[in-house]
Amino acid sequence: MKTSIFLVLLLLPALAMAVSLDGWMDFQTGGDSLSPEMGRLDLGGLLKGGNWSLVIHERYSHEDSTGILPRILNSYSRTDVDFLIEAGPVRINPDVCWTVDLGDNKPEMVLPGQAGVAYREGFIRPGLSLEVDIAENYHLFARGLYWNRDLKQEDGYDLAWTESRVSGGLSCETPGLTLSMSGLWHKTNSDLIDYESTWSRFDIALSTKPQSLPANFYVTGDVTYSFYGGTNYLGDDLADRFTSRIRFVRMIVPSLAVNTTFESVIDYDGVIRSACNSVESRIVYRFMRSRDITSSVVLFGKLSRSSIRTERAGVFSRINLYRGLSLLLEAEARVTPTSVAGAGPNRKRYVFGPGLEYQFGTTARIWGMFEQERTNLEKNQNWWRVRAGLEFYPGSFSF
Amino acid sequence: MTRFVKALAAIAVVFILFVACKGPVESTQLLINADDCTGCGECMEVCPYNAVEIIDGDAVIDPSLCHFCYRCVEQCPEGAIY
């Protein structure tokens, strides 16, 4: 009772202050020669007061599978409610997220320990975060999450599948350097199939962002060593992991910027092994900057080698034609592993397509793309796809 | 301080290039690039082992449940999982 009265007293002054309301909507739909239905609607709202904010995000997603590609097999809604209150150096952030399966075909989940298959019907996940600035440069954070999943076996029995995740840590920030130490503990439990798994991680991370570099040149670097506890699905101990990443951003001229990231990961489980190396680069060229809509060409490429091979390269351009009207053009080539039976270890796909976009200032954006995709699965497949979307941001209202 | 950071960056680059040239490459966990991840949740939907979750707008993989089926790698529209 005393706690409730204290919370009401804490919230009342905050709620009495002027508040602002922001809302947004993003709707995307499409269809292709394989799947006639694809759609996603995101609705969001932000209510913000002096020292508090409330975000509600609602998503409806529906995509269909033709059986050729292992795409999304589900229709679902997801709701995120996120409340944040700041009291001096303390930030308290309770949130809750839940999903509800809306389709007739429930997505399958392969249960651990050869316990068969279950069907996902949604989950509810409450969470609580706490952040405290304990000194000028020291920052303390903690987060707790709990999932209660609706997983049903074929005979209708609920698996009573729950997950708990607790994390926390301390970071120390100086103008060019950040040191952080954090820990994470995760437990998965299902009473019906008598499954319990716990794993943990402790990270020591150092990141740097040099303050005095040549003009228009930015470098960030970070290294993290993660100590893991627990086992993987085979029962083998999880290997410790050392991750290093360095990013260079160079604005060559005001209209041309290059962003390149190198990343390297080493695993250690008694044996040091190179686990993953990747390089990613993005070149952005902006032109016709005097118009309402700046035209741009983005060239991107990425290469990674781990136990698998992934490659990605492409171009995306937006050429302003008249007022808010722009011509879109995309071309992309990708190599990834594939789970399609008989399609070989790697799947190569090429996507090309033009489109049109119209921007109504900062209030709304409507766009459409017509794409052609070619991919090598059991055999070379070609299909077309039409995508369209509407983004709407009515602005901010204060009352 | 600046010299130190520059030296650190140079060492990191040399180190990464050195490691990148060494093989074989064998990963015990998939990696998610949080900078590229948009939190669209497609990886979570296609994972048959319930090993992917969206937390604070980014995909997170549970290393105790992941079976390395690579469906999330294939599905991710941003190429953020590798």
Side-chain angles (χ1 to χ4, degrees), chain A residues 22-278:
Chain A
D22 283 85
W24 62 90
M25 186 199 81
D26 184 6
F27 175 63
Q28 293 186 37
T29 187
D32 61 28
S33 51
L34 297 177
S35 172
E37 296 175 75
M38 294 186 284
R40 171 168 288 187
L41 172 66
D42 285 277
L43 294 167
L46 163 66
L47 202 59
K48 191 170 171 52
N51 58 351
W52 62 274
S53 65
L54 175 69
V55 178
I56 299 176
H57 182 195
E58 180 75 20
R59 166 174 290 176
Y60 294 93
S61 180
H62 173 71
E63 293 196 36
D64 197 3
S65 171
T66 61
I68 294 175
L69 295 171
R71 296 200 307 208
I72 289 176
L73 307 172
N74 195 14
S75 300
Y76 67 96
S77 75
R78 177 181 172 119
T79 307
D80 285 273
V81 180
D82 202 323
F83 184 69
L84 172 71
I85 185 157
E86 295 182 52
V90 181
R91 284 176 293 281
I92 303 168
N93 179 203
D95 70 306
V96 63
C97 164
W98 67 94
T99 64
V100 178
D101 186 89
L102 302 172
D104 295 330
N105 299 317
K106 308 293 184 194
E108 283 187 7
M109 176 193 167
V110 182
L111 295 171
Q114 296 184 320
V117 171
Y119 297 91
R120 297 190 307 219
E121 297 187 356
F123 68 79
I124 183 162
R125 196 230 66 205
L128 179 66
S129 298
L130 179 71
E131 294 181 28
V132 185
D133 297 326
I134 52 177
E136 190 179 355
N137 298 323
Y138 292 90
H139 183 67
L140 194 69
F141 53 94
R143 183 133 164 82
L145 301 168
Y146 176 80
W147 286 263
N148 188 344
R149 296 186 189 273
D150 280 334
L151 286 168
K152 300 262 172 52
Q153 285 187 318
E154 271 181 304
D155 50 16
Y157 281 108
D158 192 305
L159 285 166
W161 185 284
T162 59
E163 292 171 47
S164 312
R165 176 181 284 239
V166 180
S167 57
L170 174 73
S171 69
C172 171
E173 294 176 19
T174 60
L177 214 58
T178 302
L179 173 69
S180 67
M181 286 180 286
S182 60
L184 186 154
W185 175 87
H186 189 107
K187 181 183 179 184
T188 307
N189 187 69
S190 171
D191 291 336
L192 190 74
I193 58 170
D194 206 19
Y195 175 75
E196 187 174 309
S197 167
T198 304
W199 62 274
S200 59
R201 193 179 74 209
F202 180 72
D203 293 335
I204 300 175
L206 182 71
S207 63
T208 177
K209 188 177 180 185
Q211 301 294 297
S212 52
L213 287 172
N216 302 320
F217 186 45
Y218 309 93
V219 178
T220 59
D222 56 82
V223 290
T224 305
Y225 194 91
S226 303
F227 299 89
Y228 276 91
T231 57
N232 64 11
Y233 77 106
L234 293 170
D236 298 330
D237 287 340
L238 294 170
D240 292 346
R241 172 161 278 198
F242 177 74
T243 308
S244 57
R245 188 179 294 120
I246 188 162
R247 165 179 286 180
F248 302 91
V249 181
R250 173 80 166 137
M251 193 181 289
I252 298 167
V253 290
S255 57
L256 184 66
V258 182
N259 183 340
T260 304
T261 304
F262 295 94
E263 185 176 42
S264 179
V265 179
I266 293 170
D267 283 353
Y268 176 71
D269 53 357
V271 179
I272 297 173
R273 65 184 89 193
S274 177
C276 180
N277 303 297
S278 74

Side-chain angles (χ1 to χ4, degrees), chain B residues 24-64:
Chain B
V25 179
E26 189 182 355
S27 177
T28 61
Q29 283 185 45
L30 288 175
L31 196 71
I32 293 181
N33 187 329
D35 292 338
D36 291 339
C37 177
T38 60
C40 68
E42 294 198 15
C43 49
M44 186 175 76
E45 288 302 310
V46 295
C47 179
Y49 302 100
N50 230 24
V52 190
E53 185 54 63
I54 304 296
I55 299 177
D56 298 331
D58 286 328
V60 176
I61 293 180
D62 185 328
S64 69

